[in-house]
Amino acid sequence: MIIHYQCFQFDSRSWFGRKTSSLFSGRLARICRGGGGMVMSLTTYSILVLVLVLAVCVELGDAATAVDAYRLIQYDLDGAPYGSRLAALNHFAGVAPFASGVDLSRTAVILPLRDLNFTLLHEFITGKQQLGGLLFLLPRDTDSARKDTGPIRTILSKLEHLLIHANLPYPVYFAHEDDKINEVLPDVQRGDGTGQPASATTGGLELMTHSFKLVVSTSEPKKLSSPTITNIQGWLPGLKGDGTSQLPTIAVVASYDTFGAAPELSVGSDSNGSGVVVLLEIARLFSRLYSNPNTRGRYNLLFGLTSGGPYNYDGTMKWLRNFDQRIRESIEFAICLNSVGSWDNELWLHVSKPPENVYIRQVYESLADVAKELDVTIGLKHKKINISNSRVAWEHEQFSRVRVTALTLSELSVAPELLHNTGGLSDSRDSVDDTTIQKSIKLVAESLGIGYAVSLKPPISSGSTVSDREKILRKIVALDQNGSDEGHDFHVLPLTCLCFSSPRTARADPSISGFDSGIFFSITYRLASSLLPYVLLRKLLLEERHIYGYQGRNVQIFADNSSLALNPFYVKSWLDLLSQTPRVAPFLSKNDAIVSALKKELADHTDEVNVYHETIDGMFTFYDSTRSTLSIYQVTSVGFDFVMLAIIGLYLIVLFTVLVIATRGFDELLLMIRRPPTRKSKAA
Amino acid sequence: MTLFHFLNCALLTFGPHAVYYTATPLSEYDTIGTCVKAAIVYLGTALVKLICLATFLEVSDSDSFNPYQELLKALIGFIDVAGLYFALTQLTHRNISQNHKFQAVGLGWAFADSVLHRLVPLWVGARGLEFTWEYIFQGIEANADLVLNLSLAAIGSLMWLRRNKPKTLIPIIYACAGILATMPSITSYLRRALGWQPPKLVAFELSSSLVMAIISWQLFSACHRPV
């Protein structure tokens, strides 16, 4: 290196001033010049090679358009592959309509969703046509008019059904419509539709057309090893009496995860965001009731937010299997909530035990009672479990398999198929209605409230006659009641004894104004309790209601304008949050934000919160790479580059000729042209 | 192929300089030393200009035309002229005729200008997948710049190296020099204030440089005519 530097110095000096070179010995200068030249040529050669290597690594550079693209889900079900099997995309863009028989294996087809051609799509998928890629353009949320969402939603659900059960060996992406993409589409259509640049042999005009390349540069999708599903449970203990016997438990369960064609877009507002919101609001209301020992019921309440819903309620099963035996046996019944956000006036109660079962009948009747007051109907559907069939369509079936009475409240009248109605693309914020959810909350809360209130009732032996009962009740009521509640003001309570307006009168006084809510609570506070079965109590109460002429009154614990009213803003804010959070379980980490948020929310409302992590069972395997950036480049054909080279070459040659003629004269030019032949002749 | 496009644009941008060197008698008289020296002087001038620009100019976010700023830029552009003066007069050249001297200096100056201003954007931008006409226009601009610099060098050599000039032509010479020196300001005014699109701008540059070249050629030959 040093020698080279010195020689270079020598060289440059001799370059700039030949006169000075005589100062150095001629031989040294010559050697250095020669040696330096050799070293210099080596370094220039290596620099050239380096430059070429660098140049060949083509940088993609800035694209005209870059948008977020969400990949179709890729999963294996029992080893069979489904979904989009590739992630990287680097092909020319093409737009329908195509000429028949054209080869699309190097084209990424763009399909806007507004006017989706399902027959074409069917052809692609069922005909197993090899495409370079597929890009669906989802309409923008902001500019879709209200009336537009219905048809779009049907298109989306049809599309989802088609894509989830197809095996597509090319990348499939969803992207939101963008101004820039919309500019690109007509340009692409102007060509022959395949978007491929014309080869050099086809006419000259086509050489100047631009084609567009869709590029998604991402690595190959990898299997997700043991994806975790997280179950969150909240436990609200009831007021234990002097007896040490286990209190019965009522469970309210909802699965919070979703599954859809595009995992990053599956927000599942209705399935099952509505269920989660109903559960949270009920938890909030009952936690208010339970916070005061005066009003704490004698039932434990168990709230369960389960995951793994779309996968045959795998998470629910694992959660139940983890349960302590005693707790599991103490569950009287469990209400599972599944899609309660977009019904009109009919809800369904799905059961697996025969409807003659006592508990089921009672729950159904209390629900029906409340429903009547809200002007809605509840239908009962019985579907037997088939143990040999691994398909679990409703969450209550998992409970039934471990011998816990359970039922599912849902707006769906038929059991959904595997991976259907799991909150996919079509299930967005505007598919749920706030007021409908509030109705659902009221329904479930009030019917649970009946049980709650019943549980507070003092024990009465079942063998006594009506008059005996009446005497006992009056005695109870005659006890002094000076305890006041802590500001819970109930308008009316659904139990006859509560309708006594004053301790002195035994007659039911239907007027609300004289009612003193303090009576009720102080009764329960003073009286010991061991619990009569809910069943009998309720029977008793209905009779008494009848006896005391208490019929047809509007009964509400959680009435509007009371401190226990349901909070529409709470409902709205949780619904908004859930509608912005994609919740496909394999892609939620253990400490994902939404899991922590739900845990914290349950912790606010319940006494004890537990989080359980499980893995999805082996039937499903998922692959990562759900979201990337799609770049759209405007590219020209190779022919165009050749034409440019020809033009520039011609220009330089013309320039050369002109300059030679102008400065040296025409003869010089002729000499230059003729020199090679003369050299050859000289050599010969 | 994107590397192909880069090669095309590089050829368009730097090819004419090489062609000019080989086609004219410059190559015969081995004036490459003068060219290199002129390039180095250009480098120095560019650094000085940068420092002045950084000191005196305000950075504005919008691309609008601010007359005060443009005036300052024009004034700083005159440093260019000073640099050219230095290259023409102060450097010791080998014994080459004035005719060739101004050509060599102009060529070296224009080549350095092209390389410094256009090589890096070309390298970074033209190799990408995305195709734009931008780099082709840049190449045509480089050609126009070459012609402009040659005419400026010619006028400069007339002003500073030629002793006896016809009196009538002197004001024209200085006027031409002024126009040539302020040509960058004029183009930026057209682009920003009038909002001309690149094709129109490039066409204007080409035509104006050709016109100025013809004028300066006429002046040069007029001054060198045997009296």
Side-chain angles (χ1 to χ4, degrees):
Chain A
M1 279 298 280
I2 303 168
I3 304 170
H4 166 243
Y5 176 63
Q6 283 175 334
C7 285
F8 188 60
Q9 267 188 326
F10 277 33
D11 223 18
S12 56
R13 261 190 240 182
S14 64
W15 205 0
F16 280 144
R18 289 244 165 91
K19 301 174 200 157
T20 55
S21 69
S22 55
L23 290 173
F24 309 94
S25 70
R27 208 199 301 171
L28 183 61
R30 246 179 291 134
I31 291 174
C32 271
R33 231 177 291 142
M38 194 176 69
V39 180
M40 247 192 74
S41 67
L42 268 177
T43 38
T44 47
Y45 180 65
S46 54
I47 289 173
L48 206 64
V49 166
L50 188 68
V51 163
L52 271 175
V53 165
L54 276 177
V56 166
C57 323
V58 173
E59 287 166 23
L60 292 175
D62 290 329
T65 312
V67 293
D68 277 328
Y70 310 99
R71 199 168 75 103
L72 179 65
I73 191 162
Q74 179 181 359
Y75 68 102
D76 295 340
L77 178 55
D78 284 329
Y82 291 103
S84 153
R85 310 306 293 180
L86 290 178
L89 176 66
N90 190 344
H91 287 298
F92 291 98
V95 176
F98 301 108
S100 62
V102 72
D103 177 28
L104 290 171
S105 60
R106 296 194 143 274
T107 311
V109 179
I110 303 181
L111 292 173
L113 255 130
R114 281 191 200 279
D115 28 33
L116 188 58
N117 187 348
F118 269 103
T119 43
L120 187 66
L121 199 55
H122 264 289
E123 272 175 40
F124 285 157
I125 294 178
T126 53
K128 296 214 184 297
Q129 189 170 14
Q130 181 68 26
L131 298 175
L134 205 49
L135 176 68
F136 291 101
L137 291 179
L138 304 167
R140 268 182 290 204
D141 300 321
T142 48
D143 60 14
S144 59
R146 272 285 133 191
K147 52 179 161 50
D148 223 7
T149 53
I152 297 273
R153 260 199 288 189
T154 38
I155 293 178
L156 279 173
S157 56
K158 264 177 80 177
L159 181 67
E160 208 166 9
H161 283 200
L162 194 59
L163 290 176
I164 286 179
H165 297 300
N167 178 8
L168 306 167
Y170 42 82
V172 179
Y173 280 93
F174 294 90
H176 289 288
E177 259 178 19
D178 201 62
D179 283 326
K180 297 178 267 187
I181 297 186
N182 287 342
E183 279 169 19
V184 163
L185 281 180
D187 279 340
V188 177
Q189 252 164 341
R190 241 188 281 131
D192 63 344
T194 61
Q196 291 184 25
S199 56
T201 53
T202 56
L205 276 172
E206 286 170 10
L207 287 171
M208 298 306 277
T209 56
H210 297 301
S211 42
F212 293 89
K213 242 189 177 193
L214 298 179
V215 177
V216 175
S217 51
T218 172
S219 52
E220 208 183 300
K222 291 184 284 292
K223 259 191 216 192
L224 285 177
S225 57
S226 43
T228 44
I229 47 179
T230 311
N231 296 320
I232 312 168
Q233 77 175 39
W235 179 260
L236 204 56
L239 190 66
K240 258 206 172 114
D242 289 344
T244 50
S245 61
Q246 177 78 301
L247 287 177
T249 310
I250 297 181
V252 182
V253 186
S255 79
Y256 67 88
D257 69 328
T258 59
F259 180 88
E264 292 272 340
L265 297 173
S266 304
V267 291
S269 303
D270 199 14
S271 314
N272 192 12
S274 54
V276 173
V277 170
V278 171
L279 186 147
L280 287 177
E281 179 67 0
I282 291 179
R284 186 186 75 86
L285 292 171
F286 275 92
S287 80
R288 293 202 72 176
L289 272 181
Y290 272 49
S291 56
N292 181 1
N294 281 350
T295 56
R296 190 175 292 183
R298 282 194 178 69
Y299 275 87
N300 299 321
L301 283 174
L302 174 64
F303 297 98
L305 285 168
T306 58
S307 181
Y311 323 115
N312 292 326
Y313 293 102
D314 194 37
T316 314
M317 178 187 72
K318 297 198 161 112
W319 178 51
L320 287 172
R321 299 262 149 94
N322 278 342
F323 259 53
D324 193 20
Q325 175 99 356
R326 286 187 308 147
I327 297 180
R328 197 164 67 211
E329 280 171 4
S330 75
I331 299 181
E332 236 179 55
F333 64 90
I335 291 188
C336 308
L337 302 162
N338 183 355
S339 312
V340 289
S342 64
W343 48 279
D344 280 329
N345 43 21
E346 181 155 41
L347 269 182
W348 298 95
L349 200 62
H350 298 267
V351 291
S352 53
K353 293 204 169 157
E356 297 78 38
N357 181 295
V358 167
Y359 292 102
I360 297 199
R361 202 156 44 121
Q362 295 308 319
V363 174
Y364 175 63
E365 276 173 14
S366 56
L367 271 174
D369 282 343
V370 185
K372 210 174 358 176
E373 277 140 22
L374 291 174
D375 263 332
V376 293
T377 51
I378 304 227
L380 188 61
K381 283 217 156 173
H382 173 228
K383 176 176 169 288
K384 284 209 187 109
I385 308 178
N386 187 354
I387 305 262
S388 54
N389 187 2
S390 63
R391 169 77 187 127
V392 178
W394 298 110
E395 198 160 9
H396 70 265
E397 294 182 19
Q398 295 286 20
F399 283 87
S400 303
R401 281 166 202 240
V402 290
R403 313 220 183 289
V404 176
T405 311
L407 15 79
T408 303
L409 188 65
S410 172
E411 68 199 9
L412 304 165
S413 56
V414 286
E417 300 289 321
L418 181 63
L419 300 176
H420 286 189
N421 284 111
T422 50
L425 282 174
S426 52
D427 201 349
S428 57
R429 178 68 174 92
D430 49 5
S431 55
V432 282
D433 185 23
D434 279 34
T435 43
T436 313
I437 293 195
Q438 287 169 23
K439 264 199 285 188
S440 313
I441 295 174
K442 241 188 164 69
L443 197 60
V444 181
E446 293 289 352
S447 63
L448 283 179
I450 294 179
Y452 154 79
V454 163
S455 75
L456 294 178
K457 199 175 179 336
I460 298 176
S461 61
S462 53
S464 43
T465 61
V466 175
S467 54
D468 282 338
R469 282 185 233 151
E470 194 179 324
K471 273 188 232 159
I472 295 170
L473 276 174
R474 286 184 198 172
K475 222 192 273 186
I476 291 163
V477 164
L479 289 174
D480 184 33
Q481 288 74 44
N482 53 3
S484 61
D485 63 321
E486 242 103 20
H488 290 290
D489 58 343
F490 291 8
H491 292 304
V492 209
L493 285 168
L495 302 176
T496 50
C497 65
L498 310 174
C499 293
F500 295 139
S501 56
S502 81
R504 310 276 180 260
T505 59
R507 264 259 168 260
D509 186 351
S511 69
I512 300 174
S513 53
F515 179 65
D516 185 338
S517 56
I519 300 175
F520 175 56
F521 299 106
S522 48
I523 289 177
T524 55
Y525 183 72
R526 284 161 194 275
L527 295 175
S529 71
S530 66
L531 209 46
L532 213 66
Y534 169 68
V535 173
L536 286 170
L537 270 173
R538 209 181 171 282
K539 194 158 170 290
L540 217 57
L541 277 169
L542 286 176
E543 282 177 12
E544 284 162 357
R545 232 164 127 172
H546 185 75
I547 289 165
Y548 287 101
Y550 186 75
Q551 276 162 341
R553 292 290 295 279
N554 194 8
V555 294
Q556 287 182 43
I557 300 181
F558 308 104
D560 298 334
N561 302 324
S562 72
S563 63
L564 275 185
L566 77 90
N567 188 348
F569 300 108
Y570 185 81
V571 167
K572 182 178 179 304
S573 70
W574 269 102
L575 210 50
D576 285 340
L577 173 66
L578 289 170
S579 304
Q580 287 163 1
T581 318
R583 308 184 297 277
V584 180
F587 304 108
L588 290 178
S589 63
K590 274 192 194 174
N591 308 316
D592 205 82
I594 188 70
V595 172
S596 314
L598 288 170
K599 173 173 176 248
K600 183 179 172 302
E601 195 63 21
L602 269 187
D604 280 347
H605 301 320
T606 57
D607 276 7
E608 197 187 317
V609 168
N610 293 96
V611 176
Y612 301 106
H613 301 291
E614 323 277 352
T615 48
I616 303 183
D617 76 348
M619 204 163 78
F620 285 88
T621 320
F622 294 93
Y623 293 78
D624 67 355
S625 173
T626 50
R627 179 189 191 147
S628 318
T629 314
L630 172 76
S631 315
I632 304 185
Y633 295 99
Q634 197 180 45
V635 293
T636 50
S637 58
V638 184
F640 176 78
D641 281 329
F642 274 114
V643 167
M644 284 302 303
L645 183 65
I647 292 174
I648 292 172
L650 200 65
Y651 163 69
L652 287 176
I653 289 172
V654 165
L655 187 66
F656 184 81
T657 336
V658 163
L659 284 173
V660 164
I661 293 177
T663 52
R664 296 199 226 182
F666 191 59
D667 307 323
E668 279 285 323
L669 180 68
L670 293 176
L671 265 174
M672 271 194 233
I673 295 173
R674 277 204 211 113
R675 208 182 295 147
T678 50
R679 267 216 196 120
K680 265 201 214 156
S681 60
K682 268 197 179 172
Chain B
M1 211 169 95
T2 57
L3 196 60
F4 205 155
H5 186 61
F6 166 74
L7 284 172
N8 279 345
C9 294
L11 212 56
L12 184 59
T13 316
F14 303 115
H17 299 90
V19 162
Y20 191 88
Y21 184 77
T22 49
T24 55
L26 288 180
S27 53
E28 282 180 8
Y29 292 103
D30 197 13
T31 50
I32 193 85
T34 319
C35 296
V36 169
K37 275 191 249 187
I40 294 172
V41 173
Y42 179 82
L43 197 65
T45 317
L47 282 171
V48 171
K49 263 172 66 177
L50 260 176
I51 294 171
C52 288
L53 280 172
T55 316
F56 295 117
L57 242 56
E58 301 154 359
V59 177
S60 73
D61 293 327
S62 66
D63 205 23
S64 63
F65 185 75
N66 186 349
Y68 183 60
Q69 301 295 323
E70 295 298 323
L71 192 63
L72 268 179
K73 277 195 211 166
L75 282 175
I76 292 176
F78 277 105
I79 297 178
D80 252 341
V81 181
L84 207 55
Y85 168 80
F86 180 79
L88 276 172
T89 56
Q90 300 301 324
L91 291 177
T92 52
H93 301 287
R94 291 166 38 242
N95 226 349
I96 44 180
S97 73
Q98 208 180 51
N99 199 355
H100 294 148
K101 191 195 274 189
F102 88 81
Q103 281 183 41
V105 167
L107 187 67
W109 195 266
F111 186 70
D113 185 48
S114 274
V115 164
L116 282 180
H117 286 277
R118 297 189 183 94
L119 181 62
V120 175
L122 202 59
W123 176 257
V124 167
R127 282 188 311 134
L129 266 183
E130 178 83 13
F131 173 78
T132 46
W133 287 102
E134 186 189 337
Y135 298 107
I136 308 257
F137 288 139
Q138 207 183 52
I140 301 177
E141 250 184 70
N143 282 322
D145 256 350
L146 170 63
V147 176
L148 270 174
N149 278 310
L150 281 172
S151 2
L152 188 59
I155 300 275
S157 83
L158 270 186
M159 286 198 298
W160 302 310
L161 296 179
R162 181 86 181 153
R163 293 297 161 228
N164 44 340
K165 298 181 274 267
K167 294 292 178 209
T168 48
L169 292 176
I170 291 180
I172 306 179
I173 292 174
Y174 281 102
C176 280
I179 294 175
L180 283 170
T182 54
M183 191 58 80
S185 301
I186 296 174
T187 39
S188 97
Y189 167 75
L190 287 174
R191 188 179 65 240
R192 290 189 189 174
L194 296 185
W196 279 19
Q197 292 306 309
K200 215 166 158 188
L201 206 59
V202 162
F204 166 78
E205 276 182 21
L206 269 178
S207 45
S208 61
S209 61
L210 278 173
V211 163
M212 293 311 295
I214 292 172
I215 294 175
S216 44
W217 184 27
Q218 290 302 316
L219 283 170
F220 197 81
S221 50
C223 288
H224 283 252
R225 213 174 294 139
V227 182

